[in-house]
Short mmCIF file of all heavy atoms in Angstrom, two decimals:
data_model
loop_
_atom_site.label_atom_id
_atom_site.label_comp_id
_atom_site.label_asym_id
_atom_site.label_seq_id
_atom_site.Cartn_x
_atom_site.Cartn_y
_atom_site.Cartn_z
N SER W 40 5.64 77.61 -62.12
CA SER W 40 4.60 76.59 -61.97
C SER W 40 3.23 77.16 -62.32
O SER W 40 3.01 78.38 -62.22
CB SER W 40 4.58 76.05 -60.54
OG SER W 40 5.86 75.60 -60.15
N SER W 41 2.33 76.26 -62.67
CA SER W 41 0.95 76.67 -62.94
C SER W 41 0.01 75.51 -62.65
O SER W 41 0.39 74.33 -62.72
CB SER W 41 0.77 77.13 -64.39
OG SER W 41 0.74 76.02 -65.27
N ASP W 42 -1.23 75.87 -62.34
CA ASP W 42 -2.29 74.88 -62.11
C ASP W 42 -3.61 75.63 -62.02
O ASP W 42 -3.63 76.86 -62.03
CB ASP W 42 -2.03 74.08 -60.82
CG ASP W 42 -2.59 72.66 -60.91
OD1 ASP W 42 -3.74 72.51 -61.34
OD2 ASP W 42 -1.87 71.70 -60.56
N VAL W 43 -4.69 74.87 -61.90
CA VAL W 43 -6.01 75.50 -61.84
C VAL W 43 -6.82 75.06 -60.63
O VAL W 43 -7.96 75.49 -60.46
CB VAL W 43 -6.82 75.19 -63.12
CG1 VAL W 43 -6.20 75.85 -64.33
CG2 VAL W 43 -6.95 73.69 -63.33
N SER W 44 -6.28 74.20 -59.78
CA SER W 44 -7.05 73.69 -58.64
C SER W 44 -6.96 74.63 -57.46
O SER W 44 -5.98 75.36 -57.28
CB SER W 44 -6.54 72.30 -58.23
OG SER W 44 -5.33 72.39 -57.53
N ILE W 45 -7.97 74.61 -56.60
CA ILE W 45 -8.01 75.45 -55.42
C ILE W 45 -6.90 75.07 -54.44
O ILE W 45 -6.27 75.95 -53.83
CB ILE W 45 -9.40 75.35 -54.74
CG1 ILE W 45 -9.48 76.28 -53.53
CG2 ILE W 45 -9.73 73.92 -54.36
CD1 ILE W 45 -10.88 76.35 -52.92
N THR W 47 -3.87 73.53 -55.06
CA THR W 47 -2.54 73.89 -55.56
C THR W 47 -2.36 75.40 -55.59
O THR W 47 -1.28 75.92 -55.28
CB THR W 47 -2.32 73.30 -56.95
OG1 THR W 47 -2.55 71.90 -56.91
CG2 THR W 47 -0.92 73.57 -57.46
N THR W 48 -3.41 76.12 -55.94
CA THR W 48 -3.32 77.58 -56.01
C THR W 48 -3.07 78.18 -54.64
O THR W 48 -2.31 79.16 -54.51
CB THR W 48 -4.60 78.15 -56.63
OG1 THR W 48 -4.71 77.67 -57.98
CG2 THR W 48 -4.57 79.67 -56.64
N ALA W 49 -3.68 77.63 -53.61
CA ALA W 49 -3.43 78.13 -52.26
C ALA W 49 -1.95 78.03 -51.92
O ALA W 49 -1.34 78.99 -51.41
CB ALA W 49 -4.27 77.35 -51.25
N GLY W 51 0.64 77.57 -54.13
CA GLY W 51 1.45 78.33 -55.08
C GLY W 51 1.45 79.82 -54.80
O GLY W 51 2.49 80.49 -54.87
N ARG W 52 0.28 80.36 -54.51
CA ARG W 52 0.22 81.80 -54.21
C ARG W 52 0.93 82.12 -52.90
O ARG W 52 1.55 83.17 -52.76
CB ARG W 52 -1.25 82.23 -54.15
CG ARG W 52 -1.89 82.34 -55.53
CD ARG W 52 -3.36 82.71 -55.44
NE ARG W 52 -3.91 83.01 -56.75
CZ ARG W 52 -5.19 83.27 -56.99
NH1 ARG W 52 -6.08 83.24 -55.99
NH2 ARG W 52 -5.61 83.54 -58.21
N GLN W 57 1.67 85.87 -52.98
CA GLN W 57 0.49 86.48 -53.56
C GLN W 57 -0.68 86.38 -52.59
O GLN W 57 -0.67 85.59 -51.65
CB GLN W 57 0.10 85.76 -54.87
CG GLN W 57 1.15 85.77 -55.95
CD GLN W 57 0.67 85.04 -57.19
OE1 GLN W 57 -0.37 85.37 -57.76
NE2 GLN W 57 1.43 84.02 -57.62
N ARG W 58 -1.70 87.18 -52.83
CA ARG W 58 -2.94 87.07 -52.06
C ARG W 58 -3.63 85.77 -52.45
O ARG W 58 -3.84 85.49 -53.62
CB ARG W 58 -3.84 88.27 -52.35
CG ARG W 58 -5.17 88.23 -51.61
CD ARG W 58 -6.01 89.45 -51.93
NE ARG W 58 -7.32 89.35 -51.31
CZ ARG W 58 -8.36 88.73 -51.86
NH1 ARG W 58 -8.23 88.18 -53.06
NH2 ARG W 58 -9.53 88.66 -51.23
N ILE W 59 -4.01 84.96 -51.45
CA ILE W 59 -4.60 83.65 -51.74
C ILE W 59 -6.06 83.78 -52.14
O ILE W 59 -6.52 83.16 -53.10
CB ILE W 59 -4.42 82.71 -50.54
CG1 ILE W 59 -2.93 82.46 -50.29
CG2 ILE W 59 -5.15 81.39 -50.77
CD1 ILE W 59 -2.63 81.58 -49.09
N SER W 136 7.72 81.82 -60.01
CA SER W 136 6.39 82.36 -60.31
C SER W 136 5.37 81.24 -60.20
O SER W 136 5.70 80.05 -60.26
CB SER W 136 6.34 82.96 -61.72
OG SER W 136 6.43 81.93 -62.70
N TYR W 137 4.12 81.65 -59.99
CA TYR W 137 2.99 80.71 -60.03
C TYR W 137 1.82 81.41 -60.70
O TYR W 137 1.48 82.54 -60.35
CB TYR W 137 2.58 80.26 -58.63
CG TYR W 137 1.36 79.37 -58.67
CD1 TYR W 137 1.49 78.01 -58.91
CD2 TYR W 137 0.07 79.89 -58.51
CE1 TYR W 137 0.37 77.19 -59.01
CE2 TYR W 137 -1.05 79.09 -58.60
CZ TYR W 137 -0.89 77.73 -58.85
OH TYR W 137 -2.00 76.92 -58.96
N GLU W 138 1.22 80.73 -61.66
CA GLU W 138 0.08 81.29 -62.38
C GLU W 138 -1.08 80.32 -62.36
O GLU W 138 -0.90 79.09 -62.44
CB GLU W 138 0.45 81.59 -63.85
CG GLU W 138 1.49 82.69 -64.01
CD GLU W 138 1.72 83.02 -65.47
OE1 GLU W 138 0.72 83.15 -66.22
OE2 GLU W 138 2.89 83.11 -65.88
N VAL W 139 -2.28 80.88 -62.25
CA VAL W 139 -3.51 80.09 -62.34
C VAL W 139 -3.97 80.13 -63.79
O VAL W 139 -4.57 81.11 -64.24
CB VAL W 139 -4.61 80.65 -61.41
CG1 VAL W 139 -5.84 79.75 -61.44
CG2 VAL W 139 -4.09 80.80 -60.00
N GLU W 140 -3.63 79.08 -64.53
CA GLU W 140 -3.98 79.07 -65.95
C GLU W 140 -4.06 77.63 -66.45
O GLU W 140 -3.32 76.75 -66.00
CB GLU W 140 -2.94 79.85 -66.77
CG GLU W 140 -3.33 80.00 -68.23
CD GLU W 140 -2.39 80.93 -68.99
OE1 GLU W 140 -1.60 81.64 -68.34
OE2 GLU W 140 -2.47 80.95 -70.24
N ASP W 141 -4.95 77.45 -67.40
CA ASP W 141 -5.12 76.14 -68.01
C ASP W 141 -3.83 75.71 -68.71
O ASP W 141 -3.15 76.51 -69.35
CB ASP W 141 -6.28 76.20 -69.03
CG ASP W 141 -6.51 74.86 -69.69
OD1 ASP W 141 -7.02 73.95 -69.01
OD2 ASP W 141 -6.16 74.70 -70.86
N VAL W 142 -3.49 74.43 -68.58
CA VAL W 142 -2.24 73.91 -69.12
C VAL W 142 -2.15 74.10 -70.63
O VAL W 142 -1.06 74.32 -71.18
CB VAL W 142 -2.07 72.42 -68.74
CG1 VAL W 142 -3.22 71.57 -69.29
CG2 VAL W 142 -0.74 71.87 -69.21
N THR W 144 -3.25 76.55 -72.60
CA THR W 144 -2.81 77.89 -73.01
C THR W 144 -1.48 78.27 -72.38
O THR W 144 -0.68 78.98 -73.00
CB THR W 144 -3.88 78.93 -72.61
OG1 THR W 144 -4.10 78.87 -71.18
CG2 THR W 144 -5.20 78.63 -73.32
N TRP W 145 -1.21 77.81 -71.18
CA TRP W 145 0.04 78.17 -70.51
C TRP W 145 1.24 77.60 -71.25
O TRP W 145 2.27 78.27 -71.37
CB TRP W 145 0.00 77.65 -69.07
CG TRP W 145 1.06 78.23 -68.18
CD1 TRP W 145 1.11 79.48 -67.68
CD2 TRP W 145 2.22 77.55 -67.68
NE1 TRP W 145 2.23 79.64 -66.89
CE2 TRP W 145 2.93 78.47 -66.87
CE3 TRP W 145 2.73 76.26 -67.83
CZ2 TRP W 145 4.11 78.14 -66.22
CZ3 TRP W 145 3.90 75.93 -67.16
CH2 TRP W 145 4.59 76.86 -66.37
N LYS W 148 2.84 79.63 -74.01
CA LYS W 148 3.69 80.78 -73.65
C LYS W 148 5.08 80.35 -73.19
O LYS W 148 5.95 81.20 -73.02
CB LYS W 148 3.02 81.58 -72.55
CG LYS W 148 1.64 82.11 -72.91
CD LYS W 148 1.08 83.05 -71.86
CE LYS W 148 0.91 82.41 -70.52
NZ LYS W 148 0.26 83.30 -69.54
N TRP W 179 -13.39 81.08 -54.35
CA TRP W 179 -12.16 81.78 -54.72
C TRP W 179 -12.31 82.24 -56.16
O TRP W 179 -13.29 81.92 -56.84
CB TRP W 179 -10.93 80.89 -54.53
CG TRP W 179 -10.89 79.66 -55.42
CD1 TRP W 179 -11.78 78.64 -55.44
CD2 TRP W 179 -9.91 79.36 -56.41
NE1 TRP W 179 -11.42 77.70 -56.36
CE2 TRP W 179 -10.27 78.12 -56.97
CE3 TRP W 179 -8.76 79.99 -56.85
CZ2 TRP W 179 -9.52 77.51 -57.99
CZ3 TRP W 179 -8.01 79.39 -57.85
CH2 TRP W 179 -8.39 78.16 -58.41
N ASP W 180 -11.34 82.99 -56.65
CA ASP W 180 -11.41 83.49 -58.02
C ASP W 180 -10.99 82.40 -58.99
O ASP W 180 -9.96 82.51 -59.68
CB ASP W 180 -10.54 84.74 -58.17
CG ASP W 180 -9.10 84.51 -57.75
OD1 ASP W 180 -8.85 83.64 -56.89
OD2 ASP W 180 -8.20 85.19 -58.30
N ALA W 181 -11.77 81.36 -59.08
CA ALA W 181 -11.44 80.19 -59.91
C ALA W 181 -11.42 80.58 -61.38
O ALA W 181 -12.28 81.32 -61.85
CB ALA W 181 -12.45 79.08 -59.66
N PRO W 182 -10.45 80.06 -62.13
CA PRO W 182 -10.39 80.38 -63.56
C PRO W 182 -11.47 79.62 -64.33
O PRO W 182 -11.95 78.57 -63.89
CB PRO W 182 -9.00 79.90 -63.96
CG PRO W 182 -8.73 78.76 -63.02
CD PRO W 182 -9.38 79.14 -61.72
N GLU W 183 -11.82 80.15 -65.47
CA GLU W 183 -12.75 79.45 -66.35
C GLU W 183 -11.95 78.61 -67.35
O GLU W 183 -11.06 79.12 -68.02
CB GLU W 183 -13.64 80.45 -67.09
CG GLU W 183 -14.58 81.22 -66.18
CD GLU W 183 -15.53 82.11 -66.97
OE1 GLU W 183 -15.45 82.07 -68.22
OE2 GLU W 183 -16.32 82.84 -66.35
N TYR W 184 -12.27 77.35 -67.40
CA TYR W 184 -11.58 76.46 -68.32
C TYR W 184 -12.44 75.21 -68.53
O TYR W 184 -13.30 74.88 -67.73
CB TYR W 184 -10.20 76.05 -67.78
CG TYR W 184 -10.26 75.14 -66.57
CD1 TYR W 184 -10.18 73.76 -66.71
CD2 TYR W 184 -10.44 75.67 -65.29
CE1 TYR W 184 -10.25 72.92 -65.59
CE2 TYR W 184 -10.51 74.85 -64.19
CZ TYR W 184 -10.41 73.48 -64.34
OH TYR W 184 -10.49 72.66 -63.25
#
Side-chain angles (χ1 to χ4, degrees):
S40 306
S41 76
D42 210 313
V43 293
S44 76
I45 183 173
T47 305
T48 297
R52 285 178 171 174
Q57 300 180 56
R58 179 179 175 274
I59 296 178
S136 69
Y137 176 84
E138 294 185 45
V139 184
E140 186 172 348
D141 181 72
V142 60
T144 58
W145 194 73
K148 302 187 299 185
W179 64 298
D180 55 332
E183 294 185 2
Y184 69 96

